[in-house]
Amino acid sequence: MSQLWGRREFIRIASLGPLGLGLGDYLSLRAQSPAQSDKSCIMIVLDGGMSHLDTFDLKPDAPSDIRSTFNSVATKSPGVRICEHLPRVAQQMDKFAILRSVWGKTAIHFNGVYFLMTGYLPIQSMEFPSMGSVVAKELGLRKGMPPYVLNAMLDHAMGPGFLGSAYSPFWVRSDPNAPDFRVEDLELPVDVDWKTVSDRRALVKQMDDAFRVRDTKGITESRDSFYVEAERIMRSPAVKKAFDIWAEPEPLRDRYGRTPIGQGCLLARRLVESGVRFVTVNAARAIWDTHGDNFNRLQKVLLPEFDMAYATLLEDLADRGLLSSTLVVVSGEFGRTPKINANAGRDHWPRVFSVLLAGAGVKGGQAYGSSDATGAEPKDNPTSVEDLIATIYDRLGMDPRKEYRAPSGRPIRLSNNGTPIRSPLV
Amino acid sequence: MRLTSIFCLFTALCSGAQLRELQIAPQVAYIHGSGGQHHLLFTAVYDDGSERDVTEQVKLTFDSDVLEAAPSGQIKALKEGIAKVKAEFDGQHAESVVIVQPKRTENIDFTHDVAPIFTRMGCNNTNCHGSINGQKGFKLSLFGYDPDADYRAVVEASGGRRVNRTDPENSLILLKPTFSVPHGGGHILQKDISTYEYSTLLNWLRAGTPQSAPSTPRLVRMDVYPTDFRVLKAAGARQHIVVVGTYSDGSQEDITRRVRYTSNNEEAVPVNLEGEVEAKRNGQGTIVVRALGLVAALQVGVTLNAPAVASTVQPANFIDKLVFQKLAKMNIEASTESTDAEFLRRVYLDVVGLVPPPEEVRQFLADQSPDKRAKLIDRLLESRDFADFWGMKWAELMASNVFTVNDGTAYFQDWLRDAFAANKPYDEFVRQILTASGSTWDNGAVNFYSRPAEDLTTLAATAFLGVGIECARCHDHPFGVWKRDDFIGLTAFFAQVRGKGRRPPPVEAIYYVSFDQEYRHPETKQVIRPRFLDGTEPAIRPLQDRRKLLADWITSPQNPWFARATVNRFWRQLMGKGLVDPVDDFRPTNPPTNPALLDALATDFTAHHYDVRHLLRTILNTRTYQLSSIPKPANRDDEIDYSRYYMRRLTAEQMLDSVVEITGVPEKFLAYYPGVRAVNLADGGVPSSFLDMYDRPKRDAAKCERNENISLRQAMNMMAGDTVNQKIRSDHGKLAQMIAQGRTEDQIVEHFYLAALGRYPTVHEKEMCHTAGARAPTERAGLENVVWALLDGNEFIYNH
């Protein structure tokens, strides 16, 4: 009969963030998650919207005001052709699949990223949790690492929404390619040592005595448990090591490319190796938004950088035996217009675009689904963004049909009614 | 004195109240057919106003052989006719009438008899077959609002496999809920012919699953008894619920055992299938009653406390009276009054978003005048800081962020800030926003329009009416009230607004009304006439700005939501919990926890011409607002009746701006002049990981309530981050300054206690700081540790 009562669960879920839930509580909540999965996910967000017609879904026979100026070339996998400016990626074709019939609902950047990361369009009454937060909640901690790491300048659409800050990303706001790359607040300042921190906390504890008389919710214990966990993470050699990108051999760093996306992919590999469940790369730089000078920007900068980074990531994961347990997703928030505009660019096009999936059981060497002759609409196997998200959750060993309760009591399905793709993609 | 009177006196002294009256509800009850039954609710009313459900205790007699008594306060009809029910309890008597009419029909009717079972047993719940895709291929209408569709789903869908015509007892529709075959929803029904649900379903199947005749009367209304708030005062005490259904032919009958009951607070007031609410522990809950798309709610409270000591505190105004009344009803003792120090810090944070400066603290604590609190309240309400703080809150409510409002965010926030500074009457305020036209830079309010018409509908309904209409954008609201037509009709008021923006950025946009623009239904493309949420359609003249009509309707004193939703929002900001909570979710199944108080606040607000400062002043000057946050044992569990001040974590801006004031080191935000406070940032995305980790909203949702999370990130930041540490350490900061001025350790410690906590340190605390400081390598380092500890402690981080 317990399923008849919806409210208990919403009270439980809604109380995860606010005061009263100590670290112990949320850790045990996560530990009891049914998905005993060994999977991780690297999400490469091509912020701005990658042009599908010039990269992974070329239409050489389309009219000249639509087709790419780039040629399509054969890849390692017979029958799948991609852009000529992605030679290394072409050599890794056996490791990934191109989904050519993904379609979205919005042509606005803000809404598009939100939709891609949560499966919902933004509405004013509720904040939906992003994939990273959901994965953190469902798959839980591994090897003591923060489960969800966000490597971006903005955290828009990447947050926990109504799940609460227990599932906020561990936010690294620094460029892994920069010489001064560091994780904020992971290291003590130079003139503060752990003894000082310890003395300070001891004094706080004494001061908090006066507070106890008002503390009906165990705030003191909850906050204290976060300090204990924070110290564990900050003093953990494993965590420091995971972010220590300088420990990577120089030649490997070169192979990824000394670019934000290159080093971002390298850091992501390092993080999943250390136990992180969900890492993002290259989010919120809007560089793929080629309204003008589309072909030059792609050919000169975007594609060469991507080519090195992605191909090396796949190879590196495979070499380390991590590809079977790591899902790599490459997606923008939409595609770009088939018709080339007056500025030799393409504008936003959500009606069909391409997404790459690799690892975690995805069968490489194929193009799943197709778009029509001009790359304007899905043709075979249309895949909504919700379906994409459902597929991602499915690959990670989660149940995409699982429901959370928003604080209002409304049931929210993880993938918003998306259906995971199985054969022949998997 | 005679023994009986001694006994009565004794009882009266013990219970504290005399039995004044016995009530029966409903006063007139209808039963259809002999053998039919009706629940009645019997209530003992005492002279102190308290009520007790005595349904199980009354003695019943009848004036004829038409009726006889049945268990649990039910009446059973023995034959047709009219009869009086006479009840007696503890010397009090009452009467009601029961009319037994012939049965309308002997046949089982799907809509009348079968469909309600799916609601009652929870089959068409949101998690089960009522969910958007149903479950396992079986889809019922959510909570049974469409019995005709449900008929098709049961009888015709999936090739008719749910009914077995040759062997009705083995129909899937029976086998599944009785768990005779595996059922994901569990064992719902007893396979027992003596139960109403099983026998009705079986008999309907045996009758060949007849459809309802079009002439079958439909349920159009539910009356739920009790109609007022009841408090149970003993563990295990029960409150019975009686539900009477009215049908489209005017007939009435008892549907108490045909509806579904849910409680939103099962820890305190769980309810069973029979509609009996049990007192489990202290608290209050809403019981929602559902049948066939209709919904009703009642509230039940529990207090297991001994009657509270009568308060000697004089109410300051009508708010206190109504709060104290509720507390008395719930036997909840209020906490004592806050100390001057507690009050000072709290009122500063709540009204202007900052901790009080140390000089203020010294002065206020030394001030002996009896009206110092009231004077302080007035001064704060008239300050510029007040306007900044509340302007920011309302910018959040207006979802003013750079993605939506682009380069108008600063203008919008300025406009809002100015409105609070000028104490613009709230109805004028809303009217000016709704009817704004022109440049987004010249008239900040125009920025409201920088989003599509449908988003404006949600924003206006949520922010100004507290009504959660968003779901109805795409489908009729599952909880009953709003239909998609409501959403579409409201959108038509906004649909004529057009905007032109100048490119490239910074974007100044001009919004204007395009009078020849009609709003069309998204699918049918029919022209939609603007329609208010109460279903009325205003007459629209050509070249008339429809938005003015909407503004008139919203701000009208007759509007059922505007005043109540508005006062509720302001109340929530100060008191920590709305009378309706969440504040943007006014609906019949989410009633106010103190309806009389909400109505009184709304009435007072309207009578004072929507004067916001008056509203805030009235609340701030109450005993209720000024209660201590230290609980009494009897009020520890209270989260909704304001028996003490509800502590809350400082918001992101309160924290950062206060840290700046305390340490004397300003924060520099990207693209803002140095010294600009966090409260004046015009967007939630101005880079600041500190503000983000303390739940600064992104302003993409129309709300000004804050999350209060405590997190790992905050801990890391306090220990290792720059924000607080650098300010404490700074050579230009207050600490360095005081050391350079040669102040003593004692003076410095006292100063920072006053600055951070709004009070003097105790002797013990001074010693504590001295000892702790001595452990550091230098005196300065020791003092830095003290300041750090003050800013890291709960007493700083919480507003109490």
Side-chain angles (χ1 to χ4, degrees):
Chain A
M1 281 294 221
S2 62
Q3 280 158 305
L4 303 180
W5 317 113
R7 287 286 179 171
R8 294 209 83 152
E9 207 186 324
F10 112 75
I11 292 168
R12 186 177 76 106
I13 303 285
S15 68
L16 282 172
L19 57 142
L21 184 74
L23 190 65
D25 293 324
Y26 95 78
L27 281 182
S28 69
L29 209 61
R30 289 203 256 169
Q32 83 200 20
S33 163
Q36 295 295 328
S37 161
D38 65 335
K39 302 286 191 290
S40 311
C41 181
I42 297 176
M43 177 97 190
I44 301 173
V45 181
L46 301 179
D47 199 62
M50 173 184 72
S51 166
H52 54 296
L53 283 155
D54 303 306
T55 53
F56 293 96
D57 194 13
L58 282 79
K59 307 283 177 186
D61 300 327
S64 58
D65 59 344
I66 289 178
R67 67 172 181 261
S68 179
T69 59
F70 307 150
N71 296 316
S72 82
V73 296
T75 65
K76 190 171 179 198
S77 308
V80 187
R81 297 174 73 84
I82 66 175
C83 166
E84 61 180 327
H85 300 299
L86 294 166
R88 295 193 214 198
V89 169
Q91 283 310 305
Q92 302 297 327
M93 190 68 239
D94 58 322
K95 297 194 178 62
F96 71 98
I98 311 171
L99 279 65
R100 285 187 171 148
S101 52
V102 182
W103 61 274
K105 291 180 184 159
T106 172
I108 304 172
H109 285 298
F110 181 90
N111 295 3
V113 177
Y114 196 98
F115 189 35
L116 177 67
M117 296 308 296
T118 68
Y120 292 85
L121 289 170
I123 59 175
Q124 256 128 18
S125 46
M126 167 147 44
E127 290 137 37
F128 293 98
S130 68
M131 271 196 282
S133 297
V134 170
V135 169
K137 179 170 177 357
E138 293 302 309
L139 299 190
L141 288 170
R142 199 167 60 158
K143 301 199 224 170
M145 289 293 295
Y148 172 25
V149 174
L150 171 69
N151 186 1
M153 285 304 147
L154 299 176
D155 71 340
H156 154 57
M158 301 293 178
F162 60 75
L163 293 182
S165 69
Y167 300 104
S168 288
F170 190 91
W171 189 2
V172 176
R173 262 217 277 226
S174 188
D175 177 1
N177 188 44
D180 63 349
F181 167 70
R182 61 182 280 271
V183 177
E184 226 174 25
D185 304 343
L186 194 58
E187 298 274 353
L188 289 179
V190 285
D191 53 350
V192 176
D193 57 10
W194 283 106
K195 178 190 174 298
T196 306
V197 172
S198 169
D199 287 345
R200 286 176 167 184
R201 285 293 300 160
L203 181 55
V204 173
K205 285 206 176 92
Q206 285 182 291
M207 286 178 171
D208 277 346
D209 266 341
F211 185 77
R212 278 183 190 282
V213 69
R214 306 171 202 276
D215 188 1
T216 56
K217 290 194 167 64
I219 291 167
T220 312
E221 283 71 32
S222 297
R223 286 193 68 222
D224 195 57
S225 61
F226 280 111
Y227 279 86
V228 169
E229 177 66 4
E231 186 173 340
R232 184 194 74 75
I233 286 181
M234 289 160 75
R235 299 181 92 154
S236 158
V239 172
K240 276 209 236 316
K241 187 155 159 273
F243 286 100
D244 184 13
I245 200 165
W246 293 275
E248 291 290 331
E250 294 291 304
L252 184 59
R253 293 194 74 178
D254 291 338
R255 249 173 72 209
Y256 272 93
R258 297 291 183 154
T259 60
I261 190 174
Q263 299 304 301
C265 284
L266 172 54
L267 181 64
R269 187 228 79 212
R270 206 174 161 76
L271 290 174
V272 305
E273 222 176 353
S274 73
V276 175
R277 294 288 196 176
F278 194 99
V279 193
T280 66
V281 180
N282 202 40
R285 290 167 208 268
I287 52 177
W288 292 83
D289 191 25
T290 49
H291 286 286
D293 206 22
N294 172 62
F295 301 99
N296 281 329
R297 286 169 64 182
L298 283 169
Q299 183 177 353
K300 297 216 169 90
V301 179
L302 296 170
L303 293 181
E305 288 187 2
F306 179 79
D307 190 46
M308 289 176 75
Y310 186 57
T312 308
L313 176 64
L314 291 178
E315 231 182 351
D316 200 7
L317 286 169
D319 286 345
R320 290 167 201 264
L322 290 173
L323 198 54
S324 57
S325 61
T326 309
L327 179 70
V328 184
V329 184
V330 178
S331 180
E333 61 266 47
F334 31 65
R336 304 203 81 82
T337 48
K339 219 158 151 60
I340 300 166
N341 67 24
N343 297 317
R346 300 189 195 266
D347 304 312
H348 305 169
W349 192 257
R351 281 150 60 173
V352 76
F353 57 104
S354 295
V355 170
L356 311 182
L357 287 181
V362 172
K363 285 206 183 82
Q366 62 171 311
Y368 174 84
S370 65
S371 60
D372 65 11
T374 53
E377 305 288 343
K379 199 171 80 160
D380 301 315
N381 292 325
T383 304
S384 64
V385 166
E386 295 97 327
D387 294 335
L388 173 65
I389 292 175
T391 306
I392 292 172
Y393 288 148
D394 185 49
R395 293 294 83 229
L396 297 176
M398 292 156 54
D399 175 9
R401 294 173 67 74
K402 179 167 171 166
E403 271 181 5
Y404 291 150
R405 287 297 172 123
S408 63
R410 181 180 155 188
I412 306 291
R413 214 163 245 175
L414 260 50
S415 64
N416 192 8
N417 295 309
T419 311
I421 307 168
R422 289 285 176 85
S423 172
L425 184 66
V426 170
Chain B
M1 249 196 215
R2 297 220 247 136
L3 272 174
T4 46
S5 2
I6 292 171
F7 177 75
C8 287
L9 185 59
F10 181 73
T11 323
L13 285 171
C14 280
S15 69
Q18 289 268 39
L19 176 60
R20 190 184 71 204
E21 191 190 345
L22 179 65
Q23 289 175 347
I24 307 180
Q27 276 290 285
V28 181
Y30 294 86
I31 299 179
H32 299 276
S34 93
Q37 294 188 316
H38 205 296
H39 290 76
L40 295 174
L41 180 67
F42 298 90
T43 306
V45 183
Y46 294 84
D47 59 8
D48 65 351
S50 64
E51 296 166 311
R52 186 153 76 96
D53 181 344
V54 293
T55 304
E56 306 274 352
Q57 289 88 17
V58 287
K59 287 196 199 47
L60 296 178
T61 53
F62 309 97
D63 69 343
S64 74
D65 58 354
V66 168
L67 301 172
E68 72 175 9
S72 296
Q74 291 185 78
I75 308 301
K76 185 168 171 185
L78 296 171
K79 60 189 206 204
E80 293 169 26
I82 301 182
K84 274 213 191 110
V85 174
K86 300 184 192 207
E88 186 269 328
F89 172 76
D90 198 16
Q92 282 291 336
H93 299 267
E95 279 183 7
S96 73
V97 173
V98 177
I99 301 172
V100 185
Q101 296 169 322
K103 250 193 177 159
R104 190 181 61 84
T105 169
E106 285 304 322
N107 299 330
I108 293 196
D109 179 87
F110 180 80
T111 303
H112 186 273
D113 304 312
V114 180
I117 294 173
F118 298 124
T119 305
R120 174 163 170 77
M121 306 315 292
C123 313
N124 53 29
N125 228 359
T126 51
N127 324 355
C128 305
H129 298 289
S131 88
I132 198 158
N133 293 329
Q135 284 290 340
K136 296 286 192 312
F138 182 37
K139 164 116 182 71
L140 291 170
S141 64
L142 181 62
F143 298 131
Y145 72 86
D146 189 351
D148 298 322
D150 292 341
Y151 178 87
R152 291 191 296 274
V154 173
V155 175
E156 295 163 11
S158 308
R161 69 192 190 97
R162 295 191 181 93
V163 302
N164 187 333
R165 298 194 185 283
T166 47
D167 186 6
E169 209 172 309
N170 281 319
S171 298
L172 209 55
I173 196 74
L174 280 179
L175 296 176
K176 283 274 183 178
T178 56
F179 216 71
S180 313
V181 299
H183 179 222
H187 192 164
I188 307 287
L189 268 187
Q190 292 308 321
K191 186 179 169 180
D192 181 353
I193 196 89
S194 72
T195 65
Y196 172 79
E197 288 81 17
Y198 186 81
S199 61
T200 303
L201 273 167
L202 181 56
N203 290 334
W204 174 70
L205 287 160
R206 283 183 176 153
T209 66
Q211 229 169 345
S212 281
S215 58
T216 304
R218 303 243 161 166
L219 186 67
V220 294
R221 184 192 151 112
M222 282 194 304
D223 285 293
V224 176
Y225 303 96
T227 54
D228 56 350
F229 175 64
R230 293 295 173 93
V231 182
L232 300 169
K233 294 189 172 151
R238 279 172 189 263
Q239 174 64 52
H240 293 77
I241 300 176
V242 173
V243 186
V244 175
T246 305
Y247 292 81
S248 48
D249 64 352
S251 65
Q252 291 188 319
E253 68 177 3
D254 175 21
I255 54 172
T256 303
R257 298 272 172 113
R258 307 283 175 260
V259 299
R260 174 169 170 70
Y261 301 99
T262 43
S263 167
N264 76 344
N265 185 354
E266 279 162 55
E267 277 86 34
V269 285
V271 65
N272 64 18
L273 261 182
E274 282 71 50
E276 292 161 357
V277 184
E278 186 196 330
K280 226 164 136 188
R281 40 172 270 202
N282 286 350
Q284 179 174 330
T286 302
I287 310 294
V288 174
V289 180
R290 287 192 194 283
L292 290 186
L294 296 180
V295 73
L298 66 145
Q299 296 200 76
V300 181
V302 173
T303 178
L304 305 178
N305 298 342
V309 173
S311 170
T312 50
V313 174
Q314 282 306 304
N317 55 37
F318 67 93
I319 294 173
D320 281 334
K321 282 207 193 77
L322 292 166
V323 170
F324 294 167
Q325 243 172 47
K326 177 80 189 292
L327 289 176
K329 226 178 178 177
M330 298 296 287
N331 286 350
I332 294 176
E333 189 189 356
S335 291
T336 55
E337 191 183 29
S338 53
T339 65
D340 276 346
E342 286 170 343
F343 170 76
L344 174 68
R345 186 174 191 267
R346 172 197 304 180
V347 80
Y348 252 85
L349 285 166
D350 283 342
V351 179
V352 300
L354 286 166
V355 290
E359 320 80 63
E360 287 285 325
V361 181
R362 289 184 207 272
Q363 204 170 28
F364 189 79
L365 293 180
D367 187 350
Q368 295 299 318
S369 38
D371 59 348
K372 65 180 177 181
R373 291 193 183 196
K375 285 218 170 69
L376 174 63
I377 287 169
D378 283 342
R379 185 159 60 81
L380 292 177
L381 285 173
E382 273 142 41
S383 68
R384 186 72 207 173
D385 293 336
F386 163 75
D388 289 346
F389 187 45
W390 291 78
M392 176 196 75
K393 288 181 199 265
W394 253 245
E396 282 165 38
L397 182 61
M398 291 291 100
S400 174
N401 65 75
V402 291
F403 295 102
T404 313
V405 174
N406 295 309
D407 299 303
T409 53
Y411 298 104
F412 203 179
Q413 193 153 330
D414 276 352
W415 189 90
L416 294 164
R417 186 187 296 129
D418 289 345
F420 279 100
N423 196 26
K424 188 172 293 191
Y426 200 74
D427 59 336
E428 255 316 288
F429 173 85
V430 171
R431 177 184 300 283
Q432 286 180 8
I433 289 175
L434 287 173
T435 58
S437 294
S439 152
T440 52
W441 289 5
D442 293 338
N443 178 3
V446 179
N447 288 285
F448 176 77
Y449 279 98
S450 59
R451 61 193 83 220
E454 290 78 13
D455 288 350
L456 290 168
T457 304
T458 303
L459 182 53
T462 305
F464 303 137
L465 300 175
V467 157
I469 202 178
E470 175 67 24
C471 303
R473 183 193 284 235
C474 303
H475 57 79
D476 291 349
H477 200 292
F479 299 144
V481 186
W482 303 118
K483 304 278 178 261
R484 193 160 174 233
D485 286 342
D486 294 315
F487 191 96
I488 290 172
L490 198 60
T491 307
F493 284 101
F494 296 113
Q496 289 186 326
V497 177
R498 290 277 167 285
K500 284 196 209 299
R502 183 191 66 191
R503 298 227 172 264
V507 176
E508 177 188 3
I510 311 290
Y511 285 91
Y512 59 96
V513 177
S514 170
F515 292 107
D516 54 1
Q517 198 72 31
E518 287 298 344
Y519 182 57
R520 292 184 181 275
H521 191 284
E523 282 98 46
T524 68
K525 305 298 177 203
Q526 245 188 319
V527 170
I528 302 292
R529 293 151 59 95
R531 195 174 85 169
F532 301 125
L533 287 180
D534 59 12
T536 58
E537 287 180 10
I540 312 263
R541 294 195 310 278
L543 300 183
Q544 178 180 42
D545 187 350
R546 299 172 176 181
R547 306 174 305 164
K548 291 198 170 64
L549 300 172
L550 181 64
D552 288 342
W553 177 77
I554 286 180
T555 60
S556 152
Q558 276 73 50
N559 186 296
W561 298 281
F562 179 60
R564 291 162 88 237
T566 302
V567 301
N568 190 52
R569 255 189 212 287
F570 284 105
W571 175 269
R572 165 70 167 85
Q573 289 294 314
L574 296 180
M575 303 303 295
K577 185 93 193 220
L579 291 160
V580 170
D581 211 283
V583 298
D584 47 18
D585 198 9
F586 273 69
R587 55 179 156 89
T589 47
N590 186 28
T593 52
N594 190 334
L597 176 55
L598 182 61
D599 287 344
L601 282 163
T603 304
D604 185 69
F605 188 52
T606 311
H608 283 86
H609 307 292
Y610 307 95
D611 181 339
V612 170
R613 257 186 223 156
H614 162 81
L615 172 65
L616 295 173
R617 184 182 298 119
T618 309
I619 297 171
L620 291 164
N621 275 296
T622 57
R623 292 279 150 280
T624 305
Y625 174 77
Q626 297 186 16
L627 290 171
S628 170
S629 64
I630 300 176
K632 290 252 161 101
N635 72 34
R636 274 190 92 86
D637 294 333
D638 167 42
E639 302 290 339
I640 58 172
D641 285 323
Y642 314 102
S643 58
R644 63 181 190 282
Y645 180 79
Y646 296 134
M647 227 167 37
R648 60 214 64 169
R649 203 205 72 199
L650 258 56
T651 63
E653 294 83 0
Q654 285 173 331
M655 286 223 40
L656 186 51
D657 289 342
S658 296
V659 166
V660 164
E661 290 302 309
I662 293 164
T663 57
V665 179
E667 184 80 357
K668 168 79 175 69
F669 297 101
L670 182 67
Y672 284 81
Y673 292 112
V676 169
R677 286 189 178 143
V679 79
N680 285 320
L681 300 178
D683 177 65
V686 175
S688 169
S689 52
F690 186 89
L691 291 176
D692 291 332
M693 74 181 70
Y694 285 95
D695 307 300
R696 170 184 58 169
K698 296 287 180 243
R699 302 189 183 184
D700 36 27
K703 49 193 289 197
C704 49
E705 296 71 49
R706 290 293 186 95
N707 289 331
E708 288 192 15
N709 299 311
I710 46 180
S711 71
L712 185 67
R713 196 73 186 76
Q714 292 160 8
M716 289 172 65
N717 182 260
M718 274 309 288
M719 292 198 283
D722 289 338
T723 320
V724 176
N725 285 310
Q726 274 186 2
K727 290 190 199 310
I728 293 175
R729 268 209 302 281
S730 167
D731 290 331
H732 308 289
K734 186 69 183 172
L735 175 60
Q737 198 182 61
M738 288 186 86
I739 292 176
Q741 285 166 349
R743 300 295 175 88
T744 66
E745 180 199 86
D746 225 45
Q747 288 172 324
I748 294 176
V749 169
E750 179 182 274
H751 171 91
F752 281 98
Y753 259 82
L754 290 169
L757 307 187
R759 64 172 175 88
Y760 291 95
T762 62
V763 169
H764 167 70
E765 284 170 337
K766 284 200 270 204
E767 275 162 19
M768 202 170 79
C769 291
H770 175 76
T771 311
R775 277 203 280 275
T778 66
E779 195 205 1
R780 174 153 167 183
L783 286 166
E784 286 176 2
N785 289 354
V786 170
V787 176
W788 189 95
L790 282 168
L791 294 178
D792 188 51
N794 290 329
E795 202 177 331
F796 171 71
I797 290 174
Y798 282 87
N799 175 1
H800 45 82

